[in-house]
Amino acid sequence: MSKQKTVGLPVLEPDDAVVPCCPPLTAAELSAEDAERMAAMFKALSDPVRLRLFSKVASHPGGEACVCDIADVGVSQPTVSHHLKKLREAGLLTSERRGTWVYYAVAPSVVAAMSATLDLRTAT
Amino acid sequence: MSKQKTVGLPVLEPDDAVVPCCPPLTAAELSAEDAERMAAMFKALSDPVRLRLFSKVASHPGGEACVCDIADVGVSQPTVSHHLKKLREAGLLTSERRGTWVYYAVAPSVVAAMSATLDLRTAT
DNA sequence: TCACTGTTTCGACGTCTGTCGATGCCCGGA
DNA sequence: TCCGGGCATCGACAGACGTCGAAACAGTGA
């Protein structure tokens, strides 16, 4: 819980992350743990500012963008950084520092999992 | 802020509802208004209890269930009712009273729209 | 080395949200 | 008509969340 000040940016290891959690909601009742995990992902997108930030990253060529390119969403930069951190912690974005700038990119597998979870195709 | 219309709760007409809001997040930046609307839908699923309730309804045969069948999620009944109301207001569920019991059903179009919004297939 | 810029972290504040018990409304059965 | 059960609403409270300014950190260029 306490990432002190040792590393600049952990970037969230792919195998330690949030990935495998998403049976379709129609398949069976979610367990309490799965519900907790899924809710955290939806919560990450439950804020307009975060949604716009995510959209800006996702719609950028290559699915990645510099903070400086997306920071204009009507709130202060500390707030932007705060929201990007939330998206990172939810596993929806990854970050990478390249010289002066930090680039954020979508984590396709996690987003695809969310989409699949909402897939209602079950009975035909 | 901007919550003034309060939708009595009458089942939410299909054409007056929350439906058409969801371009894929990769297609273009969300406008502030669209972001607001989408965020509201994600927020409805951003709570573990709501997610379990929704899952219970969605996984029931026919995609509908009586409140009495799904109310066991570890919180009090007023709380269950409160969460179902939230899901209803977000357009994800519809409710219908049948005699003594109230049945909730998923609104497939709205859920499908959310799923489509998260679809990352775009650039290739 | 220093100065400058981009980004994150910190601390604080007001608001929103989930939760509960108590209460009220609606319906079916006696 | 009254009673009883299912569900919604009300009012209140603690905790979480979004927001900001100030400050710290990281890299570049001179």
Side-chain angles (χ1 to χ4, degrees):
Chain A
M1 303 76 244
S2 42
K3 213 51 116 143
Q4 288 284 76
K5 58 217 285 192
T6 43
V7 292
L9 270 187
V11 169
L12 188 10
E13 298 300 323
D15 52 304
D16 131 279
V18 214
V19 182
C21 67
C22 308
L25 288 178
T26 47
E29 302 179 13
L30 246 45
S31 70
E33 298 79 34
D34 281 349
E36 205 87 35
R37 220 175 327 174
M38 292 251 26
M41 304 172 76
F42 282 115
K43 181 173 293 184
L45 292 181
S46 72
D47 182 275
V49 172
R50 282 199 291 272
L51 213 43
R52 291 185 70 192
L53 288 171
F54 184 84
S55 167
K56 277 171 176 258
V57 173
S59 64
H60 250 248
E64 87 168 12
C66 169
V67 174
C68 55
D69 287 330
I70 62 175
D72 181 25
V73 287
V75 295
S76 69
Q77 248 216 345
T79 303
V80 169
S81 188
H82 167 72
H83 285 306
L84 288 174
K85 182 181 182 182
K86 287 290 189 75
L87 288 167
R88 217 171 49 211
E89 288 173 347
L92 295 171
L93 292 181
T94 60
S95 64
E96 179 189 357
R97 178 178 280 275
R98 262 179 240 158
T100 305
W101 293 281
V102 176
Y103 287 79
Y104 279 78
V106 306
S109 64
V110 179
V111 180
M114 288 183 69
S115 181
T117 298
L118 286 176
D119 201 332
L120 295 182
R121 292 191 279 272
T122 300
T124 333
Chain B
M1 308 349 183
S2 48
K3 223 27 173 282
Q4 50 188 35
K5 60 160 84 147
T6 31
V7 170
L9 74 73
V11 172
L12 194 353
E13 299 301 322
D15 53 302
D16 132 279
V18 213
V19 181
C21 67
C22 309
L25 288 178
T26 48
E29 302 178 13
L30 247 44
S31 70
E33 298 80 34
D34 281 350
E36 205 89 34
R37 218 175 328 177
M38 292 250 27
M41 304 173 76
F42 283 115
K43 182 174 292 182
L45 292 180
S46 71
D47 181 276
V49 172
R50 282 199 291 271
L51 214 43
R52 292 184 70 191
L53 287 171
F54 184 85
S55 167
K56 276 172 176 258
V57 173
S59 64
H60 250 249
E64 87 168 13
C66 170
V67 173
C68 55
D69 288 330
I70 62 176
D72 182 25
V73 286
V75 295
S76 70
Q77 265 203 353
T79 303
V80 169
S81 190
H82 167 72
H83 285 307
L84 288 174
K85 182 181 182 182
K86 287 291 189 77
L87 289 167
R88 217 170 47 212
E89 289 174 345
L92 295 171
L93 292 181
T94 61
S95 65
E96 181 188 356
R97 165 159 239 135
R98 264 179 238 160
T100 305
W101 293 279
V102 176
Y103 288 78
Y104 278 78
V106 305
S109 64
V110 180
V111 181
M114 289 183 69
S115 181
T117 298
L118 287 175
D119 202 333
L120 294 184
R121 296 190 278 269
T122 298
T124 319

